[in-house]
Amino acid sequence: MLATAALALGAIQVAKAQDTTPLRDAVECRERRGLPNVFAKWWAGKEVRVGYLGGSITAQNGWRPKTLAWFNRQHPNSTSVEINAAIGGTGSDLGVFRLAQDVLSHKPDLLFVEFAVNDGGAATDRILKAMEGIVRQTWKANPTTDICFVYTLTEGMLGDLDSGKFPHAASVMEQVADHYGIPSIHLGLEVAHLHQAGKLVFTGQLPKTDAEVAALAGKTVFSPDGVHPYESTGHELYLAAIQRSFAKIEQAGVAPGPHEIPKALVADNWEHAKLVPLSALMLSKGWRKLDPAVDQKANQYKRYLPDLWKANRPGETISLRFKGTSVLVYDLLGPDCGQVSIQVDQLPAYIVPRFDAYCTYHRLATLPVADSVPDTIHTATIRLQRDQPDKLKILHQRRENTGITTLNPKVYDDTAWYAGAVLIIGDVLPGHG
C-alpha cells in the first residue's frame, strides 16, 4: 500500500521526538520460553495452524508464505496451515481489536505478531497496552497457543541498529516479551549488518541488465522504497533470520503445556478490546448494507468487515450507548468519502474527514470516537456532514498528487461513508446514543 511506506518512514522520528523509553540491546533472537507446543505438534505429525498478525510487510508475498513453505519442508509428516491476518498500514492498536475475529476464531497453534514498523510512531503506553492485550486475549482463548514477536525494519531504523540498539517500538515490545516469556526475532538485524558492511543497498531498483548487476559489485538490493523488502532478496534475508532463530528456539527446553497468564504488566492493558459488528439498531434509516456478491468494495474487504454499510445522505448517523473507556469505528477512507461530526455525551461536536492525501483509492481505517474516557456509561453520535472536505487541497499535501488539478466528479464528488464495526474497550449497550 502506498500510504504504508511514507507513514512508516516518518513515524520513526516522531517516536524519537516524543518518547524517551530506553532502547534495548539488539539481539537477533531471544528464545525465552520457546515455542514448546508447536514443536511438539510438528514432531508428532499433527496439523499446525500458523497465524500471521501484522502490517503490509507481512501482507507481502514474502516472509509469511516463505516461512510456511519452510515449515512444511522441515516437518513433512505434519501440515502447516496459514491464517493470514495482515493488513497494510495498521498497527497493534487495531490488531488487538480484530484479533478474535481475524485470528483466534481460526484456532492458531502459533501466532506471529509483526507491528514494529507500523508502531514506530506510537507512544510507549499504547504499544504496551495493545501488545499485552494481544498476548492475554490469545492465551485466554487457548492457553496452548505459542506466540512469537517478530520485528522488521525501515531505512530510518538503521541508525539505532548500527549503534547496537533496537528502535523504539521493538524496545517497548521486548518488555511484554520478557514478562510473558515470549520468544522474539529481529528479522532485520542481519540486514543492518550487511548494510553497515557495504554489502547491501537498502533502497534501490533490482538490476535488470548485466551492466547493472556488475555495477552493484555483489551488493544485495533490499527494497524499492525503504520499507517493503523485495521478495527475491529482502524477504529471503528475513526468512534466513527465522531459520537461524528457530534452530535456537527449538532447543529452549521448556515442556509443552498451557501458558500461565501472570499478573498484568500494565493494569489497564487492552485484553478486553473487541470488535462489534454494526447493526441496524445503531444506524439511521438511510444506511444500506452492501452485498459482497455485487459490490466491489464489500467483496474486497469482506474478510475484515463481513458487514459493510454505506451512507451518503447528509444527516445519517451512527448512535451508540456504551460503557467503557475507548471507542472507534472500523471504516474505509476513499475518494468518494466525505466527513462526519462526532459528539460524545454533551461535549461539543467536532468534524473529522474520512478523506486524506492517500485517498486515490479505498483502504481500511479507524475513526476514533472516544479515547481514555471514564469507565462509565456514555453516548456517542457520529453524523455524516453535508459539506465535503477540500479534497484537492488535501490531495496536494502529497508531492505525488500535485499534478492533479481537477477531480473526476464520478470518483470524488460524493459525501459517502463506509463503516462496518465498532471497536471498543468495554461494551455496547442496548438503545441509541
Side-chain angles (χ1 to χ4, degrees):
M1 296 205 175
L2 295 177
T4 312
L7 292 172
L9 285 169
I12 311 308
Q13 296 304 322
V14 173
K16 288 182 177 180
Q18 68 185 17
D19 209 308
T20 57
T21 302
L23 301 183
R24 295 291 294 271
D25 290 341
V27 176
E28 183 173 72
C29 176
R30 289 185 169 95
E31 300 93 326
R32 296 190 176 90
R33 295 186 59 80
L35 305 169
N37 298 311
V38 72
F39 275 108
K41 278 200 161 188
W42 275 324
W43 294 331
K46 297 180 180 179
E47 180 182 86
V48 169
R49 302 181 65 79
V50 185
Y52 296 87
L53 180 67
S56 59
I57 294 171
T58 297
Q60 285 185 276
N61 187 31
W63 77 271
R64 171 182 48 80
K66 288 175 184 289
T67 54
L68 193 77
W70 180 67
F71 295 150
N72 281 312
R73 292 195 302 271
Q74 288 291 105
H75 307 282
N77 295 324
S78 172
T79 300
S80 294
V81 178
E82 176 188 82
I83 304 165
N84 180 2
I87 302 178
T90 66
S92 63
D93 56 350
L94 174 58
V96 69
F97 286 99
R98 63 186 184 87
L99 175 68
Q101 172 187 274
D102 295 350
V103 183
L104 301 183
S105 63
H106 302 288
K107 303 186 184 306
D109 300 294
L110 170 62
L111 173 60
F112 286 110
V113 183
E114 178 272 314
F115 288 120
V117 164
N118 287 348
D119 278 3
T124 292
D125 68 321
R126 294 187 74 86
I127 298 174
L128 288 175
K129 290 176 182 180
M131 293 294 288
E132 185 169 29
I134 289 169
V135 173
R136 295 180 74 87
Q137 279 190 45
T138 300
W139 285 350
K140 285 185 175 181
N142 184 356
T144 63
T145 298
D146 289 338
I147 302 173
C148 182
F149 289 176
V150 293
Y151 310 135
T152 55
L153 82 164
T154 68
E155 191 164 15
M157 295 176 172
L158 288 173
D160 288 328
L161 292 169
D162 287 347
S163 65
K165 298 293 184 180
F166 277 169
H168 164 72
S171 293
V172 177
M173 292 171 184
E174 285 289 271
Q175 297 180 43
V176 179
D178 282 342
H179 188 71
Y180 291 92
I182 292 171
S184 60
I185 306 170
H186 202 301
L187 304 189
L189 192 56
E190 179 64 14
V191 174
H193 291 162
L194 290 171
H195 180 266
Q196 192 173 37
K199 298 179 180 180
L200 180 140
V201 176
F202 202 96
T203 303
Q205 297 301 309
L206 290 175
K208 296 183 177 65
T209 66
D210 291 343
E212 290 175 344
V213 171
L216 283 171
K219 295 179 183 178
T220 298
V221 182
F222 179 75
S223 75
D225 59 5
V227 180
H228 302 95
Y230 283 113
E231 177 184 344
S232 60
T233 58
H235 276 292
E236 284 293 323
L237 291 170
Y238 279 180
L239 170 63
I242 295 247
Q243 292 170 331
R244 289 189 298 270
S245 299
F246 264 53
K248 297 178 180 179
I249 292 170
E250 187 173 2
Q251 304 303 317
V254 178
H259 296 281
E260 295 184 4
I261 304 178
K263 182 179 178 181
L265 180 65
V266 181
D268 57 346
N269 74 80
W270 293 347
E271 64 184 288
H272 300 299
K274 57 191 172 187
L275 182 155
V276 180
L278 285 175
S279 69
L281 294 176
M282 305 175 193
L283 306 173
S284 57
K285 293 183 178 180
W287 286 85
R288 62 187 179 91
K289 191 174 181 180
L290 301 180
D291 183 355
V294 296
D295 185 89
Q296 182 269 333
K297 282 180 283 297
N299 183 64
Q300 180 179 355
Y301 295 105
K302 64 183 179 182
R303 181 153 61 106
Y304 301 110
L305 291 174
D307 298 327
L308 184 62
W309 297 76
K310 178 182 179 180
N312 60 355
R313 189 176 66 186
E316 298 296 344
T317 60
I318 296 176
S319 298
L320 302 171
R321 290 181 68 246
F322 67 94
K323 182 181 185 300
T325 58
S326 294
V327 170
L328 306 92
V329 176
Y330 200 7
D331 66 352
L332 301 182
L333 301 180
D336 58 337
C337 293
Q339 55 190 6
V340 299
S341 67
I342 299 173
Q343 184 171 24
V344 178
D345 299 329
Q346 300 304 313
L347 297 173
Y350 57 95
I351 304 294
V352 181
R354 306 316 295 141
F355 183 94
D356 66 12
Y358 295 89
C359 278
T360 54
Y361 61 95
H362 290 86
R363 72 182 193 277
L364 289 165
T366 57
L367 172 66
V369 175
D371 185 26
S372 300
V373 297
D375 189 10
T376 56
I377 295 176
H378 303 275
T379 62
T381 302
I382 309 102
R383 188 180 306 276
L384 189 58
Q385 298 298 291
R386 180 175 303 279
D387 296 331
Q388 291 184 9
D390 189 338
K391 295 184 177 182
L392 189 60
K393 181 179 179 180
I394 292 171
L395 287 173
H396 283 178
Q397 292 170 4
R398 290 185 69 221
R399 186 184 309 168
E400 295 88 338
N401 294 332
T402 53
I404 301 174
T405 56
T406 59
L407 299 180
N408 184 344
K410 292 183 179 180
V411 177
Y412 289 93
D413 190 14
D414 203 352
T415 56
W417 187 22
Y418 303 88
V422 173
L423 308 175
I424 185 167
I425 301 173
D427 294 291
V428 176
L429 302 178
H432 291 289

